[in-house]
Amino acid sequence: MSSDQDVETRHILECFKDRLKRIILVEPLLDLLHFLEPDQKDRIRAKGRADGDISAATLLIDEIIKTQCEKGWSRALVTALETVGCTNAVNYVSNSLPDPTEEAEHDSCVRLIDLMKLTLLNMKTRDVCTQCVSLGLLTQEDHENIMKATENHGNINGARVLLKRLVKNETGWFSKFLQALEDTEHHELMRELRGEPCNEGEPMAVETHEIRTVEEGEQMCLAATKETDPVLSANSSLLSEDLDSSVDSSGLCASAENGDVDMYKEGEEEEEEEEEEEGDLTEDDDPPASKREIELRDYQMEVARPALEEKNIIICLPTGSGKTRVAVYITKEHLERKKQMGEAGKVVVLVNKVPLVEQHYKAEFGRFLKHHYSVERVSGASQLKITFPQIIEQNDIIICTAQILENSLAKAKNGEEDGIKLSQFTLMVIDECHHTKKGNAYNHIMIRYLKQKHKNQLLKKQDKCPVAIPQILGLTASPGVGGAMSQQMAEQHILQICANLDAFTIKTKTFDEEEAKTPFKRIARAEERKQDPFGDVIKKIMDEIHTHADLLPLCEPGTQNYEQWAVQKEQNAAKEENQKVRVCAEHLRHYNEALHQSNTIRMSDAFSFLDKYHNEELKTKSSPDEDGAVTITDTERFLFTLFKDKKAKLQELMGKPEYENNNLAQLKTNILKEFTTREKARGIIFTRTRVSAIALCQWIQENPKFAEVGVSASYLIGGGDQSVVKPMTAAEQKDVLQRFRKGEINLLIATTVAEEGLDIAECNVVIRYCLVTNEVAMIQARGRGRAEDSSYTLVAETGSGVAERESVNEYREKMMSKAIAKICKMNRADYEKKIREFQIQAIMEERVKIKKKQQKGMMKESPSKISLSCRQCSVFVCSGEHIEIIERMHHVNVTEQFGKLFTVRENTSLQERLLDYETNGVLACKNCGQQWGSMMLYKSIECPCLHIKNFVVTCGSKKKTFSKWSELPISFPAFDYTQHADLFVEDSEEDDMDSP
């Protein structure tokens, strides 16, 4: 961690000293803080013996603040806190602060434990302690200390140690503590903590009495606390929030490439109240019992009916019309029916984006069903590991990303113990099911389903028992037409989706004009740019590069076709080791992006983009260390000089507003009009790239005209690390959306990440800025305008073709509606015949694909059969036999020979710590400066992690490029931590012996 981070952590310690001193475990922590001197530790321990833990913690914090510790001490502090189980303290030190409401709830629960300590000291300490360990409330070291105190000084002293340690946990510990009491049959204690009257002589038998849920118990915790604490009672406004926000729920994380599964504990956030009739929109997290009953409208019940009859269906309803609410109702009826039949029901809800996991839990499934069934969310923001099968086994409803389920199904197929099977589920809900097509995780899951279905038909013919498969429920606002050019092709596309989901039918409803909340649509055409000297200069630069590399593009610069051409040229040149063409194609891609930016955002933004790119490229060519300088080729020198010569001209032109594109002026007019003519405007602007989203947000924030009409803007971009812009983390996305819901932000500038699925608060202004994709995206984006009197505006330059493509999408939307209507009226025999044909074809294609893979035999080949070379300078890097995998995801090479080939540069966008590793720096080729990957610290061992997109892979006589490791069908061995740790220790001992 950098020195800047050390300074920031020191400041955080000063700010939160009063809270940290109450939640730090001083004694075990001191053993791990190697940056403190022994005499400092002795003083802190003596303070603890004399004045108690809080005084010792205060002194510890003071010593850290005033001591000039070695660089990186803040990382060591966080690691130590995590090791001893002080997760609450980690959140503060890492500046990942809890919500004020959650903090208040935590404090109230601590206060309640303190008030009831005399009663709690009579618990069966050993049993409760063991259960708390299993629930993750206590560490193994805590368990040993509590057991030791119990054995040496009695049950009450052990209970004191347990309670003292318990309240140092992060938000959500109280609900799990109640669970521990319930599991150890402390029913009376549990009732008291919940504030329920205790009836002496009336046993609390679980079999005959309804036990309140953990969530309700936490609410009673606040009620009891306010009654006994006048201070908290006076501040009841802080505590009256729905206490579901403090109840932790478990989940899983899986990489899209590896299937690692991790548990996370994440407090829910308070939701704004919305009108109940708005279908999918979020209401209170925990409605009163009278509102937990799900009432469907007539059209919702109509589309749900076949699913209630246990048929596989697709529900196709517009955004905001309550698809998810229908799915919740079907889920509830399904589980109740299974229960009545004496069978076990198990429902999995699949989503295609991580934020949707939390959304479906809070807004729908958890909100309405958690009081009757165990509902669990499974996503990718996790720290604590737990097996996915265990989560499946313990819960009735599991909400997870499709990739997590697919990874676990693949494990079962490979015979691994921690895999699961489709037969474990009785209902599978697939959200945004139009993504069930080739290459998608949804389709991989459904191929497994279809294979088993057809195997079952054979088993029945042989009078054998078939394997259970779940009922399928697909949800979508628009299946689209798949680029169909005719009505017949549109019908074929939708029939294909029905076949992929094994749907008995597709159910939809055509809304009357007065029923549908279709926003008013307009196309705002900007005048065509008369002069573009800035763009002309960029095009001249590109022409000079074309001449230098003997390249002849077949498409106009500034277009997406040109981008695809440049990418293809770069890939081919890398494989052919033609460094001249490769580096020229790479630069042409960036100039092409700058042209696009100059046509949609400010010329200054386009210039900044180019300037930053060239500065970073020059930096990679500077001498990284004393071992030698990086080689700079004649072509690279030509490219750098070319930009340097034109730089002054570009700067001059970008300062002339008369040459700016007219799209921005048109966008400004529309925003000002919407925000001045509406009493309360709330909008979203969709744009194509992350760069333009950030630049547009900055443009709005810098323009005082927007502030005058009350515009408060923020951007929302994706989380994948696939562009030159640093991606948003899930937490950052969540924060922006939460502020948007609360009204702190009233204008989002978003990429297509916000088009589909995300439950964004009602908008009355939707603008697509110079952006047209397909009819599905158009329908989804338009569906963001859910409020009454909404407007949907397409801002496009005259002659750009954007408006024309929008008209094509409108035509395809009509084709889609006609196709769905026709399919719904198809003869049953004809429909089933078509569906079966598509399914047989899909199964056969999958078999051919697997067979081809087996024929290649690469999975059986030794990794030594491949070699990696630098994508830029073609220097040999390593053989595949030297590559190992950490946690089935990170490909590392820790050999001494490889370490001589690269240098480590500072990672300017240091990523946050994940699991047992962290990214510390960037690996760069010593020969040419090409980035190779990142340096990871894995359990205190530095591991060079390779990113395959930066290499050319040679297998035999063939050379290939890959964008991710999963595309390379080679099985690498797992990283042997013990072996490398032993070597590391031996090297350290030798260094110690050599030192004076």
Side-chain angles (χ1 to χ4, degrees), residues 712-893:
S712 175
S714 182
Y715 64 85
L716 180 69
I717 61 176
D721 190 13
Q722 297 295 327
S723 76
V724 293
V725 176
K726 183 183 177 183
M728 287 185 90
T729 64
E732 288 170 335
Q733 290 177 342
K734 188 176 177 181
D735 177 62
V736 170
L737 289 173
Q738 187 69 7
R739 290 168 62 202
F740 189 60
R741 289 191 184 101
K742 291 178 179 179
E744 296 172 13
I745 297 167
N746 56 20
L747 183 62
L748 280 182
I749 299 91
T751 54
T752 53
V753 68
E755 277 182 348
E756 186 177 289
L758 291 182
D759 183 16
I760 295 174
E762 280 194 343
C763 296
N764 47 24
V765 179
V766 177
I767 299 174
R768 296 194 95 195
Y769 182 64
C770 303
L771 172 68
V772 170
T773 46
N774 57 29
E775 73 282 358
V776 175
M778 180 190 75
I779 294 168
Q780 297 280 6
R782 191 178 63 209
R784 297 300 110 200
R786 298 183 179 184
E788 297 290 345
D789 191 31
S790 297
S791 67
Y792 170 82
T793 306
L794 175 65
V795 176
E797 186 178 75
T798 302
S800 65
V802 171
E804 289 75 14
R805 290 199 297 276
E806 183 79 354
S807 298
V808 171
N809 285 338
E810 290 172 351
Y811 173 69
R812 286 178 174 167
E813 182 183 8
K814 292 175 183 176
M815 286 172 58
M816 181 191 75
S817 299
K818 287 180 182 179
I820 292 173
K822 188 171 180 180
I823 289 169
C824 289
K825 295 175 183 177
M826 275 183 76
N827 175 274
R828 171 53 49 187
D830 292 342
Y831 175 84
E832 290 182 354
K833 181 182 177 183
K834 274 285 186 185
I835 294 300
R836 180 171 174 78
E837 286 176 1
F838 280 127
Q839 290 178 347
I840 294 296
Q841 181 183 345
I843 292 171
M844 293 305 295
E845 287 177 355
E846 181 72 9
R847 285 177 180 170
V848 169
K849 181 181 173 183
I850 293 172
K851 192 172 182 180
K852 283 183 177 179
K853 200 171 183 180
Q854 290 173 342
Q855 285 174 347
K856 287 182 180 179
M858 292 186 73
M859 289 297 289
K860 298 178 182 178
E861 291 280 6
S862 166
S864 62
K865 298 287 185 178
I866 67 164
S867 63
L868 273 59
S869 56
C870 178
R871 186 159 183 155
Q872 180 159 309
C873 67
S874 303
V875 68
F876 172 80
V877 174
C878 68
S879 165
E881 65 183 328
H882 298 140
I883 296 174
E884 298 172 284
I885 301 183
I886 293 176
E887 300 191 3
R888 302 185 186 180
M889 176 167 40
H890 306 282
H891 294 67
V892 300
N893 184 341

Side-chain angles (χ1 to χ4, degrees), residues 413-699:
K413 180 73 175 176
N414 295 333
E416 297 181 39
E417 291 183 1
D418 55 345
I420 62 169
K421 298 179 180 179
L422 277 177
S423 58
Q424 293 177 243
F425 303 104
T426 55
L427 173 64
M428 185 155 62
V429 181
I430 301 180
D431 190 37
E432 308 296 350
C433 68
H434 54 273
H435 289 298
T436 312
K437 51 192 178 184
K438 288 181 183 178
N440 190 278
Y442 283 163
N443 203 51
H444 293 155
I445 293 168
M446 285 308 302
I447 285 289
R448 297 179 189 278
Y449 172 96
L450 294 176
K451 284 183 176 179
Q452 189 59 58
K453 177 190 172 182
H454 289 274
K455 283 180 184 177
N456 284 348
Q457 293 172 351
L458 294 174
L459 290 171
K460 287 178 182 178
K461 289 179 181 179
Q462 298 168 3
D463 293 327
K464 295 180 180 179
C465 184
V467 176
I469 50 177
Q471 178 186 347
I472 305 297
L473 173 62
L475 307 176
T476 182
S478 167
V481 296
M485 303 300 292
S486 67
Q487 190 65 44
Q488 185 180 3
M489 290 173 67
E491 291 166 16
Q492 292 291 310
H493 171 78
I494 294 170
L495 279 170
Q496 179 73 68
I497 290 177
C498 290
N500 292 345
L501 290 157
D502 194 34
F504 173 80
T505 186
I506 179 170
K507 297 292 290 183
T508 187
K509 172 177 168 53
T510 304
F511 289 89
D512 297 331
E513 201 167 312
E514 61 271 14
E515 288 183 291
K517 287 187 177 181
T518 304
F520 170 75
K521 182 172 182 177
R522 70 168 71 92
I523 296 179
R525 288 182 170 87
E527 282 187 40
E528 198 168 350
R529 212 175 195 172
K530 292 182 175 62
Q531 288 182 296
D532 184 18
F534 183 88
D536 291 340
V537 172
I538 292 178
K539 288 178 181 178
K540 286 179 183 177
I541 294 174
M542 295 173 79
D543 284 339
E544 290 192 46
I545 298 174
H546 295 152
T547 303
H548 179 81
D550 295 324
L551 292 171
L552 184 63
L554 302 175
C555 37
E556 185 69 20
T559 63
Q560 198 164 348
N561 287 338
Y562 186 95
E563 164 80 9
Q564 293 168 354
W565 171 82
V567 168
Q568 192 62 52
K569 283 293 180 184
E570 191 277 333
Q571 289 178 348
N572 292 338
K575 288 184 281 189
E576 295 165 4
E577 297 186 10
N578 186 337
Q579 301 309 324
K580 181 178 182 179
V581 171
R582 197 209 70 80
V583 72
C584 284
E586 186 67 34
H587 278 249
L588 286 170
R589 283 182 60 196
H590 286 78
Y591 280 113
N592 192 65
E593 175 62 28
L595 273 179
H596 172 73
Q597 291 179 29
S598 135
N599 290 328
T600 52
I601 48 182
R602 295 169 295 186
M603 292 184 290
S604 58
D605 296 315
F607 174 79
S608 296
F609 172 79
L610 285 176
D611 192 44
K612 180 182 178 183
Y613 170 69
H614 281 87
N615 286 338
E616 288 180 353
E617 284 296 295
L618 275 168
K619 188 177 180 181
T620 66
K621 301 300 174 183
S622 60
S623 180
D625 52 33
E626 297 176 358
D627 293 339
V630 170
T631 303
I632 182 167
T633 65
D634 292 339
T635 296
E636 288 169 334
R637 190 172 290 106
F638 162 77
L639 292 168
F640 292 138
T641 304
L642 186 59
F643 178 72
K644 184 180 179 182
D645 292 343
K646 305 292 185 183
K647 187 173 178 179
K649 185 63 177 176
L650 289 172
Q651 285 177 303
E652 177 193 343
L653 291 169
M654 78 180 191
K656 297 183 177 181
E658 65 268 26
Y659 295 138
E660 289 285 8
N661 69 76
N662 295 314
N663 292 312
L664 278 176
Q666 186 63 58
L667 178 62
K668 180 180 178 182
T669 300
N670 275 271
I671 296 173
L672 293 177
K673 180 181 177 182
E674 296 284 4
F675 275 79
T676 52
T677 57
R678 295 179 183 275
E679 185 177 338
K680 188 177 181 181
R682 178 176 287 188
I684 302 180
I685 299 173
F686 289 106
T687 185
R688 187 165 74 95
T689 66
R690 296 176 182 183
V691 171
S692 59
I694 296 170
L696 284 173
C697 181
Q698 187 178 0
W699 169 67

Side-chain angles (χ1 to χ4, degrees), residues 125-143 146-147 162 166 169 176-177 179-184 250 263 265 384-387 390-391 394:
T125 304
R126 288 184 174 85
D127 294 346
V128 175
C129 177
T130 302
Q131 195 60 27
C132 285
V133 171
S134 69
L135 292 172
L137 289 173
L138 301 173
T139 65
Q140 198 59 43
E141 184 176 350
D142 297 328
H143 180 268
I146 293 165
M147 290 301 186
L162 188 154
L166 187 70
N169 278 295
K176 286 188 270 186
F177 179 53
Q179 182 66 47
L181 291 176
E182 181 179 358
D183 293 342
T184 53
S250 307
M263 187 68 138
K265 304 288 179 187
L384 303 176
K385 292 191 174 183
I386 192 169
T387 64
Q390 186 178 355
I391 291 297
Q394 294 176 354

Side-chain angles (χ1 to χ4, degrees), residues 320-332:
S321 57
K323 294 183 299 296
T324 314
R325 185 66 52 82
V326 175
V328 173
Y329 181 83
I330 291 170
T331 298
K332 181 175 80 72

